[in-house]
Amino acid sequence: MKTPTLPDHKYLQIADGIESLINTDVLRIGDKLPSVRTLAEDYNISTGTAFQAYYHLEGKGLIESRPKSGYYVRFNYKRFPALPKSVQPDAHRHAVSVKDVIADIYSDIAAAIKWNFARAVPDLSLLPTSKLNKAVVHTLRHHKDHGIGYEHTQGNPELRKQIAKLAFNWGGKVKPEEVVVTNGCLEAITTCLKAVTNPGDTVAVECPAYFGVYQAIESLGLKAVEISSCPVSGLDLQCLEKTLKKFSIKAVLCVPNFNNPLGSCMPDANKKALVSLITKHKIPLIEDDIYGELYFGKNRPKTCKHFDKEGWVMHCSSLSKSLAPGYRIGWVLPGKFFTEVAQLKRIQNISSPTLTQAAVAHFLQHGRYEYHLKNLRKALHTQCLRYSGSVIEHFPPDTKISRPQGGFVLWVELPGNVDVFRLRSDAVKQGIAVVPGKIFSASCDYENCLRISFGKLWNEDVDVGLKLLGDLVKKATK
Amino acid sequence: MKTPTLPDHKYLQIADGIESLINTDVLRIGDKLPSVRTLAEDYNISTGTAFQAYYHLEGKGLIESRPKSGYYVRFNYKRFPALPKSVQPDAHRHAVSVKDVIADIYSDIAAAIKWNFARAVPDLSLLPTSKLNKAVVHTLRHHKDHGIGYEHTQGNPELRKQIAKLAFNWGGKVKPEEVVVTNGCLEAITTCLKAVTNPGDTVAVECPAYFGVYQAIESLGLKAVEISSCPVSGLDLQCLEKTLKKFSIKAVLCVPNFNNPLGSCMPDANKKALVSLITKHKIPLIEDDIYGELYFGKNRPKTCKHFDKEGWVMHCSSLSKSLAPGYRIGWVLPGKFFTEVAQLKRIQNISSPTLTQAAVAHFLQHGRYEYHLKNLRKALHTQCLRYSGSVIEHFPPDTKISRPQGGFVLWVELPGNVDVFRLRSDAVKQGIAVVPGKIFSASCDYENCLRISFGKLWNEDVDVGLKLLGDLVKKATK
């Protein structure tokens, strides 16, 4: 089952057409574009719509207007430098120890930061604040106990219904009673890990991976084997297969859609193969789909859960990256581990807060999420291009950057042997926060990599920050 | 430092005077009380105030009005039956396994329950719903990001300031930066346990104890040694001292104020001795003070944290039992384990929800909590007496019941060898939920005990429910 995708506006269709002409070098950087009037006549559209199309492309940083002259091609995807390296992990089990490093970074972030490229959250101006507020007020007025009483351990029934409905987007057939609501996605992941492992067990995790996952692994006393991951197609299935043969693996962790930090997206065929592999080995797969809805392409990618016939996939997600980080609303579809997960949720904190769950349920129920997502995706795609453009412009020429197909982080590999840990300290002094690559792996050498979040709204000032950062990088690579 | 207690209303002073005459048998059951007019003249008060005093005593179930005749003494604390037994645990380490039983009970509770005496929560009508709603709306309007952005891992700064201020009530000197906000008290306790133990370790826990604590112990792979607890004065210090010598104990868990299920309160001298004992042994004490503000006496009891000089006490509490269960706002003062606890909080769920924290901070900041508590305490004390009265009236004569000095649960020991597990099933069929005593210990025999929550507002219908339950008990003891 699949919900129909909403048709794009006319101006977007036109803009997409021009974009593909730029990408295929039919229109080259510096070429003059037809005037707005000519464009309008050619496509039989109003000049307003023609303006909108150019305005959209300008927002993406692909074209620029020159005073009294018109629009010109400014940027081309081909200008993108090479992709960052795909490192082969050392195929050993590792005791994980990242928490001290991460605590350092968090305390830095509390310092006076003007350009926070470290936090992977959308700019608050991109979130539907006033509509969420209305949903909260509606809940205060109409909820049977105004959100003061305990909620069901599994979560608000209407919210679970809406989460089941969201699953349609990736072709999932989910029943509300299969959902467990959590305090954000990280609680979903740690709960899943705890449900299927015992201290001392080994889990397989793609590398690089979000450092929160390493912290969870460490805090549960687990060991990790890292699986290499490609900046474009994600988890390396051959590497995983070998690992499953070599070690007794109790769970596999993976972000198939727009992995943080790579921004990679596993092709659906790979997801299917991954699910058969773990099903054959009878090993639970903890799938983190927190970025799944934030795709830049035409369609939402599928999830591993979609291919799961026997319930081995534990699908985790949340609204923290796409709607309201501070509401702390995540969920898990634990498959065959439902009982264990629901029990752990109760033991940890009985249930999630009542008010915010009911408010978000109301918000989703009234179709406001889909509408908001449509705008958010467009904005993030534009920001991705703008940030990439600035990095290409201001960083040393042989810097390599990822091509995120969704989400809001860029993965940047610096030339030479730059020590990003030291770079980070210097950057903090100038009011710039970034996350060093080192903490995205327990075994791999990402010392010359860093993660830049493009969640913060792009403007000239962001460009100034990225230029400052680029200057620091240049100084460090000399 | 101590906040001054607000002076009681005139009518309460009069009512308390009469109550003490009843308790000391100067006024006996059946005695006629002076008429309202006489009372007013004797005390030089208005007849309105005299009425209020009688109305208050009637509410507590101590006196009754007889039509066209006046007020009569109805009940006396001396009518209370004996206290429930204090069982000596077997002083062995136990692997804990209660989760299946508890899951059973939770699923029962979901059934059609008319009289829910199982849930230890205050009746929603006793909570300041509309004032909390106003605080939420205020937050939506005035909070810098309307509660949508991430909150600090440690919690909302103003809320932590208010929590530090609340500590004045028990003589605590707490700084806001020493507080970590959690999703309710249970998350505070599980986080503390995790911070100071490793799987396989042994902890000491008073017995009987809230079953949520046993679940936490079980889920962390810990073993428990149980320490006997007295229905009046709580944890048995001698028993604890012996245990600390016999076993390698990594943490002690205890509810010094109005223990759930006993309702006992450790005398302050015992708290002081407990803190010296654990300090001498360098063992962290996880103190659960969730019921501390719900005292029936004149003053708030002290906490163990008050006597803690070296930071070995990890003080946990929440607003779930006294203000808003569904807001899931708890906290911990982790003492010397601050870093570990704050780190675990971040790893588990990054931070607690922003909106509800800010709203509650606003509510507390405006002094509304103290005012609300004053009313809540009075109401719960009255309900305690009413429920006790009904149990005494409807249960078999040699039933023993606790004398809670705060909180909202009664602990009832039934005569003979009643199997309360079976009784519970029969009760559920009649729409009555209670919690069987068995799940409050891993080793002790509380099979003929049960816990009755008196959080639900007392009325004639509650009395009907307790009579039905009493009839079932009588049938079972035959």
Side-chain angles (χ1 to χ4, degrees):
Chain A
M1 191 157 173
K2 201 168 172 326
T3 44
T5 45
L6 301 168
D8 272 336
H9 291 287
K10 191 76 190 164
Y11 80 90
L12 279 179
Q13 296 174 16
I14 310 277
D16 285 357
I18 298 172
E19 188 173 332
S20 72
L21 293 177
I22 296 172
N23 290 338
T24 52
D25 265 348
V26 177
L27 289 168
R28 286 159 189 274
I29 292 172
D31 279 0
K32 192 174 187 307
L33 292 160
S35 73
V36 170
R37 184 180 302 258
T38 314
L39 188 71
E41 281 166 6
D42 286 359
Y43 285 91
N44 196 21
I45 52 176
S46 72
T47 50
T49 305
F51 256 122
Q52 259 191 304
Y54 278 166
Y55 193 71
H56 178 75
L57 289 168
E58 197 179 12
K60 279 186 161 178
L62 293 174
I63 68 172
E64 64 189 349
S65 82
R66 296 182 190 163
K68 297 187 185 169
S69 172
Y71 284 94
Y72 290 80
V73 178
R74 179 184 169 275
F75 189 82
N76 176 320
Y77 286 122
K78 293 214 170 157
R79 275 194 66 201
F80 265 103
L83 281 165
K85 65 192 163 192
S86 177
V87 180
Q88 198 68 28
D90 59 6
H92 281 88
R93 285 190 306 167
H94 290 267
V96 175
S97 182
V98 288
K99 65 182 176 190
D100 291 340
V101 177
I102 292 166
D104 261 16
I105 289 166
Y106 271 82
S107 65
D108 269 5
I109 289 177
I113 292 299
K114 188 173 171 195
W115 295 280
N116 197 336
F117 305 132
R119 302 201 87 183
V121 282
D123 200 284
L124 287 172
S125 67
L126 295 173
L127 300 176
T129 310
S130 65
K131 278 181 184 152
L132 272 173
N133 285 359
K134 274 183 196 161
V136 173
V137 171
H138 182 272
T139 305
L140 290 177
R141 288 207 189 116
H142 298 102
H143 191 272
K144 71 175 164 36
D145 59 16
H146 312 278
I148 286 182
Y150 277 115
E151 186 48 272
H152 193 289
T153 285
Q154 242 188 287
N156 177 296
E158 180 59 40
L159 177 60
R160 286 186 280 130
K161 213 162 129 185
Q162 293 302 320
I163 289 168
K165 224 168 134 188
L166 269 181
F168 287 176
N169 295 354
W170 45 263
K173 284 176 195 165
V174 175
K175 292 187 195 119
E177 56 268 31
E178 295 166 355
V179 181
V180 177
V181 176
T182 57
N183 288 297
C185 193
L186 192 52
E187 186 173 291
I189 294 170
T190 51
T191 307
C192 287
L193 263 177
K194 197 158 163 32
V196 298
T197 63
N198 287 308
D201 282 351
T202 303
V203 298
V205 56
E206 70 188 321
C207 168
Y210 166 50
F211 50 86
V213 165
Y214 285 106
Q215 289 188 294
I217 291 172
E218 181 180 7
S219 101
L220 292 170
L222 302 172
K223 289 189 165 49
V225 181
E226 299 186 305
I227 312 297
S228 64
S229 187
C230 159
V232 175
S233 61
L235 191 82
D236 178 338
L237 286 172
Q238 284 187 318
C239 177
L240 177 64
E241 195 159 9
K242 274 186 211 155
T243 303
L244 296 187
K245 280 177 188 154
K246 190 167 168 193
F247 298 100
S248 163
I249 298 292
K250 298 297 179 191
V252 178
L253 285 106
C254 156
V255 187
N257 294 327
F258 322 126
N259 161 299
N260 168 7
L262 291 180
S264 61
C265 184
M266 279 182 92
D268 287 349
N270 288 21
K271 287 173 191 153
K272 194 174 174 181
L274 172 57
V275 175
S276 340
L277 184 63
I278 58 109
T279 302
K280 193 180 84 186
H281 287 266
K282 297 189 184 307
I283 297 171
L285 170 68
I286 301 173
E287 169 180 48
D288 176 358
D289 191 47
I290 193 169
Y291 301 102
E293 290 287 351
L294 304 178
Y295 53 91
F296 301 157
K298 290 281 173 201
N299 295 306
R300 193 205 196 288
K302 293 266 184 298
T303 65
C304 291
K305 190 73 189 169
H306 172 74
F307 299 102
D308 182 28
K309 303 278 177 260
E310 297 186 16
W312 289 97
V313 177
M314 305 171 87
H315 175 93
C316 303
S317 192
S318 90
L319 301 174
S320 303
K321 301 300 182 190
S322 51
L323 185 64
Y327 279 34
R328 313 301 308 114
I329 291 180
W331 61 87
V332 45
L333 311 172
K336 61 165 70 206
F337 303 97
F338 175 83
T339 311
E340 292 85 343
V341 167
Q343 224 157 33
L344 280 171
K345 170 67 189 169
R346 191 178 67 231
I347 292 169
Q348 283 159 13
N349 46 42
I350 301 177
S351 60
S352 286
T354 310
L355 179 63
T356 37
Q357 284 189 70
V360 165
H362 181 79
F363 182 91
L364 294 178
Q365 203 181 351
H366 289 77
R368 293 189 170 138
Y369 189 48
E370 274 307 321
Y371 176 81
H372 155 66
L373 279 175
K374 216 169 141 68
N375 292 325
L376 180 63
R377 284 175 201 130
K378 253 186 258 166
L380 288 177
H381 191 189
T382 300
Q383 284 176 221
C384 176
L385 293 171
R386 281 300 202 171
Y387 274 69
S388 302
S390 290
V391 170
I392 293 165
E393 199 171 328
H394 303 309
F395 281 44
D398 34 3
T399 301
K400 295 169 184 167
I401 66 168
S402 60
R403 313 276 187 287
Q405 301 160 59
F408 35 77
V409 293
L410 281 180
W411 182 246
V412 180
E413 185 186 333
L414 303 176
N417 293 318
V418 181
D419 178 352
V420 174
F421 253 73
R422 183 174 295 171
L423 177 73
R424 183 190 117 253
S425 306
D426 294 343
V428 166
K429 281 174 205 146
Q430 302 220 26
I432 303 167
V434 291
V435 183
K438 200 177 179 176
I439 66 168
F440 293 91
S441 164
S443 76
C444 288
D445 173 20
Y446 291 114
E447 274 195 6
N448 63 336
C449 293
L450 56 87
R451 190 191 75 176
I452 293 176
S453 158
F454 51 82
K456 197 172 144 59
L457 218 56
W458 197 91
N459 55 29
E460 295 300 328
D461 188 51
V462 165
D463 190 56
V464 170
L466 289 171
K467 185 168 185 325
L468 265 174
L469 184 61
D471 291 346
L472 287 174
V473 172
K474 283 176 186 160
K475 220 173 97 185
T477 47
K478 255 177 201 160
Chain B
M1 192 159 171
K2 198 165 173 332
T3 43
T5 46
L6 302 169
D8 271 337
H9 291 287
K10 191 74 190 168
Y11 81 89
L12 280 179
Q13 294 173 16
I14 310 276
D16 285 357
I18 298 171
E19 188 173 333
S20 71
L21 294 177
I22 296 172
N23 289 338
T24 51
D25 266 349
V26 176
L27 289 168
R28 286 160 189 275
I29 293 173
D31 279 1
K32 191 173 189 306
L33 291 159
S35 73
V36 169
R37 184 181 300 259
T38 313
L39 188 71
E41 280 165 8
D42 285 358
Y43 285 91
N44 196 21
I45 53 175
S46 72
T47 50
T49 305
F51 256 121
Q52 259 189 304
Y54 278 167
Y55 192 70
H56 178 74
L57 290 168
E58 197 180 10
K60 279 186 162 178
L62 294 174
I63 68 173
E64 62 187 351
S65 82
R66 295 184 190 161
K68 297 189 184 171
S69 172
Y71 283 94
Y72 289 80
V73 178
R74 179 184 170 274
F75 189 80
N76 177 319
Y77 285 123
K78 293 211 174 160
R79 275 194 67 200
F80 265 103
L83 283 164
K85 64 193 163 190
S86 176
V87 180
Q88 198 70 29
D90 60 5
H92 281 87
R93 286 191 305 168
H94 291 268
V96 175
S97 182
V98 288
K99 66 183 176 191
D100 292 339
V101 177
I102 292 166
D104 261 15
I105 288 166
Y106 271 82
S107 66
D108 269 4
I109 288 177
I113 292 299
K114 188 173 172 197
W115 294 280
N116 196 336
F117 305 130
R119 302 202 87 182
V121 281
D123 200 284
L124 287 172
S125 67
L126 295 173
L127 300 176
T129 311
S130 67
K131 278 180 183 152
L132 272 173
N133 285 0
K134 276 184 194 159
V136 173
V137 172
H138 182 272
T139 305
L140 291 177
R141 288 207 188 116
H142 298 101
H143 191 271
K144 71 174 166 33
D145 59 17
H146 313 279
I148 285 181
Y150 277 114
E151 187 48 271
H152 193 289
T153 286
Q154 242 187 287
N156 177 296
E158 180 60 39
L159 177 60
R160 284 186 281 130
K161 214 162 127 184
Q162 294 302 320
I163 289 168
K165 226 168 131 187
L166 268 182
F168 288 177
N169 295 355
W170 45 264
K173 285 175 194 165
V174 175
K175 293 185 195 122
E177 57 268 31
E178 295 166 355
V179 181
V180 178
V181 175
T182 56
N183 288 298
C185 193
L186 192 53
E187 186 173 291
I189 294 170
T190 50
T191 308
C192 286
L193 263 177
K194 197 158 162 32
V196 299
T197 63
N198 288 308
D201 283 351
T202 303
V203 297
V205 57
E206 69 188 322
C207 168
Y210 166 50
F211 50 85
V213 165
Y214 285 106
Q215 288 187 295
I217 291 172
E218 180 180 6
S219 102
L220 292 169
L222 303 171
K223 288 189 165 49
V225 182
E226 299 186 306
I227 312 297
S228 65
S229 187
C230 158
V232 174
S233 61
L235 190 82
D236 179 339
L237 287 171
Q238 283 188 319
C239 176
L240 177 63
E241 195 158 9
K242 274 185 211 155
T243 303
L244 296 186
K245 279 177 190 156
K246 190 168 168 191
F247 297 100
S248 164
I249 298 292
K250 298 297 180 194
V252 177
L253 286 107
C254 154
V255 186
N257 295 326
F258 321 126
N259 161 296
N260 169 4
L262 291 182
S264 61
C265 184
M266 279 181 92
D268 287 350
N270 288 22
K271 287 173 190 153
K272 195 174 174 182
L274 172 58
V275 175
S276 338
L277 184 65
I278 59 108
T279 303
K280 193 181 84 186
H281 286 266
K282 296 188 185 306
I283 297 171
L285 170 68
I286 302 173
E287 170 181 47
D288 175 357
D289 191 47
I290 193 170
Y291 300 102
E293 290 288 352
L294 303 179
Y295 52 92
F296 300 159
K298 289 284 172 199
N299 296 304
R300 192 204 197 289
K302 294 265 184 297
T303 66
C304 291
K305 189 74 186 168
H306 172 74
F307 299 103
D308 182 28
K309 303 279 177 257
E310 296 186 15
W312 289 98
V313 177
M314 306 173 86
H315 175 94
C316 303
S317 192
S318 90
L319 301 174
S320 303
K321 302 299 181 190
S322 51
L323 186 64
Y327 278 35
R328 312 302 306 116
I329 291 181
W331 61 86
V332 46
L333 312 172
K336 61 166 68 205
F337 303 98
F338 175 83
T339 311
E340 291 85 343
V341 167
Q343 225 157 33
L344 280 172
K345 170 67 190 170
R346 191 178 67 233
I347 293 169
Q348 282 159 11
N349 46 42
I350 301 177
S351 59
S352 286
T354 309
L355 178 64
T356 37
Q357 285 190 69
V360 165
H362 181 78
F363 182 90
L364 294 178
Q365 204 180 353
H366 288 77
R368 293 191 170 135
Y369 189 47
E370 275 306 323
Y371 176 80
H372 156 65
L373 280 176
K374 219 170 136 68
N375 293 326
L376 181 62
R377 283 175 201 129
K378 253 185 261 169
L380 288 177
H381 190 188
T382 300
Q383 283 176 220
C384 176
L385 293 172
R386 281 301 202 170
Y387 274 69
S388 302
S390 289
V391 170
I392 292 165
E393 200 172 327
H394 302 309
F395 281 45
D398 35 0
T399 301
K400 295 169 184 167
I401 67 168
S402 60
R403 313 275 187 288
Q405 300 160 59
F408 35 79
V409 293
L410 282 181
W411 181 245
V412 180
E413 184 187 333
L414 302 178
N417 293 318
V418 180
D419 178 351
V420 175
F421 253 73
R422 182 174 296 171
L423 177 72
R424 184 191 116 252
S425 306
D426 294 342
V428 167
K429 281 175 206 148
Q430 302 221 24
I432 303 167
V434 291
V435 183
K438 200 176 178 177
I439 65 168
F440 293 91
S441 166
S443 77
C444 288
D445 172 20
Y446 291 114
E447 275 195 5
N448 62 336
C449 293
L450 56 88
R451 190 190 76 175
I452 293 176
S453 157
F454 51 82
K456 195 171 145 61
L457 218 56
W458 197 89
N459 55 30
E460 294 300 328
D461 188 50
V462 165
D463 190 57
V464 170
L466 289 171
K467 182 163 186 327
L468 265 174
L469 184 61
D471 291 345
L472 287 174
V473 173
K474 282 176 187 161
K475 217 172 101 187
T477 47
K478 255 176 200 161

